[in-house]
């Protein structure tokens, strides 16, 4: 009996194309909701923006985990698409 499992990571077999620009644009809008300056986070991909936002939130005394979760929700929605 032969059992096979196939894993596709990062678009090796199935193309990986979610709308990164729309996701990062929405993430920047979310940063404004948290009173984080979107201009400080204008450069970088979605992961860099998330990490910078979490650090900026912590420095301002905001709940960094909630900021991370709110950005994660945005990215997850685009990822499901």
């Amino acid at each position: 009996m032969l059992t096979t499992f196939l894993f596709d990571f990062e678009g090796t077999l199935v193309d990986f194309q979610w709308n990164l620009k729309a996701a990062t644009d929405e993430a920047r809008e979310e940063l404004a909701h948290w009173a984080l300056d979107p201009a400080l986070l204008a450069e970088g991909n979605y992961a860099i923006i998330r990490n910078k936002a979490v650090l900026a939130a912590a420095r301002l005394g905001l709940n960094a985990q909630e900021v991370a979760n709110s950005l994660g929700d945005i990215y997850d929605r685009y990822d499901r698409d």
Side-chain angles (χ1 to χ4, degrees):
M1 180 175 170
L2 178 65
T3 302
T4 304
F5 293 94
L6 177 65
F7 294 93
D8 181 26
F9 296 105
E10 298 298 325
T12 303
L13 301 173
V14 178
D15 201 11
F16 173 75
Q17 292 184 8
W18 50 285
N19 191 341
L20 293 173
K21 178 167 179 3
T24 54
D25 288 347
E26 190 174 333
R28 287 184 182 99
E29 290 174 16
E30 180 66 15
L31 298 179
H33 167 78
W34 287 95
L36 295 172
D37 183 3
L40 296 173
L41 309 167
E43 298 297 320
N45 64 30
Y46 69 96
I48 291 170
I49 290 169
R50 180 193 175 277
N51 292 340
K52 287 181 177 180
V54 168
L55 291 173
R59 282 193 300 270
L60 294 173
L62 300 173
N63 186 323
Q65 187 60 53
E66 286 185 18
V67 172
N69 290 345
S70 69
L71 292 176
D73 290 345
I74 292 168
Y75 298 146
D76 287 347
R77 190 171 63 253
Y78 281 90
D79 192 30
R80 282 190 300 272
D81 184 36

